[in-house]
Amino acid sequence: MEEIAARLRAAGCVFAEDEARLLLAEQSGDELTGLVARRVAGEPLEHLLGWAELAGHRWSVGRGVFVPRRRSELMVAGAVAVLGRRVGSQPAVVLDLCCGSGAVGGAVVRAVQAGPPGAAGVSRRGVVLHAGDVDRTAVQHARANIGPLGGLVHHGDLFDPFPPGLRGTVDVLLCHAPYVPTEAIATMPAEARDHEPVVALDGGPDGLDVLRRVAAEAPGWLRPGGTLLFEVGTDQVAGALALVGAAGLSGRVVHDEDGAGGIVIVATASTGGVGPG
């Protein structure tokens, strides 16, 4: 293990010992040698392992798939909090746009399912999860991750692939849209820049291009009082609040207090908003 850790450390891996231990647990012999060489060459550890951890669970990922970041646990927690306040007798509807591997939506469902038996709120009524992504490889992993949880995964651009009958019924709209400004992609770590799909990173000149489209359409999909949650960078907060406000949603900012650096915009539809249909 020490030899592997030394090679990883020399390649710039900050947590070389931890990574060496994980790689050793996956393979041995020539297979392990190959994994170490790929990691030294810059491939994401998660792609080599075949999984990424988020919210206490492992989610299938692989080559060409966006790797879930720990900061997204803030969006998971925010969604679970929203669902915990929901009233009504029917299962809650969660829509996960730009779902990638499906880890964020899946983590929300798992958290709800883990709620105390018989507790008030959504844990007793359950969740209907629909997820979608424009990338076929991501969709394959999402189906493996959230299919066993009862989630349905659709392939297509933003809202296009979802059943029209969901319009006006969504309690929580998760959106892990790309929000890296185009010019900033070149400054990202090589393991992201070179190994994750650009469609999952590039948010246009100011990073908000995809989110503009989402915010504009979200009110038609949310039920009255439904909530849209998405991540942004520090310098995008004002712009993000402006665009959800322009869409008629009431926005607020939630900051991560655990050091992971997440910033989530929570935008809620009026209780007198667009209804089903």
Side-chain angles (χ1 to χ4, degrees), residues 44-233:
L45 175 68
E46 293 83 0
H47 287 179
L48 303 180
L49 298 175
W51 55 265
E53 185 171 332
L54 183 76
H57 297 278
R58 292 181 177 183
W59 308 94
S60 171
V61 296
R63 280 180 167 174
V65 176
F66 181 83
V67 176
R69 275 45 163 185
R70 180 171 169 257
R71 61 176 175 264
S72 293
E73 293 179 359
L74 182 64
M75 186 155 61
V76 173
V80 172
V82 168
L83 291 171
R85 296 190 294 269
R86 181 185 181 273
V87 296
S89 58
Q90 299 301 312
V93 177
V94 175
L95 207 62
D96 188 2
L97 292 183
C98 307
C99 70
S101 65
V104 173
V108 171
V109 173
R110 280 189 174 275
V112 169
Q113 291 177 343
V122 72
S123 61
R124 187 174 56 195
R125 297 185 298 273
V127 173
V128 175
L129 172 63
H130 286 263
D133 200 282
V134 72
D135 184 81
R136 289 189 181 277
T137 303
V139 164
Q140 292 175 353
H141 284 273
R143 286 176 175 153
N145 283 322
I146 69 175
L149 301 175
L152 299 175
V153 184
H154 311 264
H155 174 247
D157 185 44
L158 296 183
F159 294 97
D160 290 349
F162 293 105
L166 291 176
R167 290 182 60 86
T169 72
V170 177
D171 294 280
V172 167
L173 175 53
L174 301 165
C175 183
H176 202 286
Y179 61 90
V180 179
T182 303
E183 292 186 356
I185 291 177
T187 68
M188 296 183 71
E191 63 185 56
R193 182 184 68 236
D194 297 338
H195 296 280
E196 292 182 317
V198 68
V199 70
L201 302 174
D202 192 347
D206 66 352
L208 297 177
D209 277 3
V210 177
L211 291 168
R212 285 189 182 88
R213 296 172 56 199
V214 172
E217 292 191 53
W221 291 82
L222 293 171
R223 65 178 293 168
T227 301
L228 164 67
L229 300 97
F230 59 89
E231 295 179 4
V232 292

Side-chain angles (χ1 to χ4, degrees), residues 25-50:
E26 292 295 325
Q27 296 288 354
S28 61
D30 292 342
E31 292 81 3
L32 175 61
T33 301
L35 289 180
V36 173
R38 288 167 58 189
R39 181 62 181 135
V40 168
E43 288 193 46
L45 175 68
E46 293 83 0
H47 287 179
L48 303 180
L49 298 175

Side-chain angles (χ1 to χ4, degrees), residues 1-9 13 15-27 32 36 39 45 49:
M1 175 174 155
E2 289 302 323
E3 179 182 350
I4 294 173
R7 289 188 62 192
L8 296 176
R9 194 180 305 109
C13 299
F15 303 104
E17 288 76 12
D18 292 338
E19 293 195 13
R21 190 174 299 109
L22 288 168
L23 290 172
L24 279 164
E26 292 295 325
Q27 296 288 354
L32 175 61
V36 173
R39 181 62 181 135
L45 175 68
L49 298 175

Side-chain angles (χ1 to χ4, degrees), residues 78 81-82 85 227 229 237 241 244 250-254 264-268:
V82 168
R85 296 190 294 269
T227 301
L229 300 97
V237 170
L241 289 174
V244 297
S250 177
R252 60 186 178 89
V253 185
V254 178
V264 171
I265 303 297
V266 180
T268 304

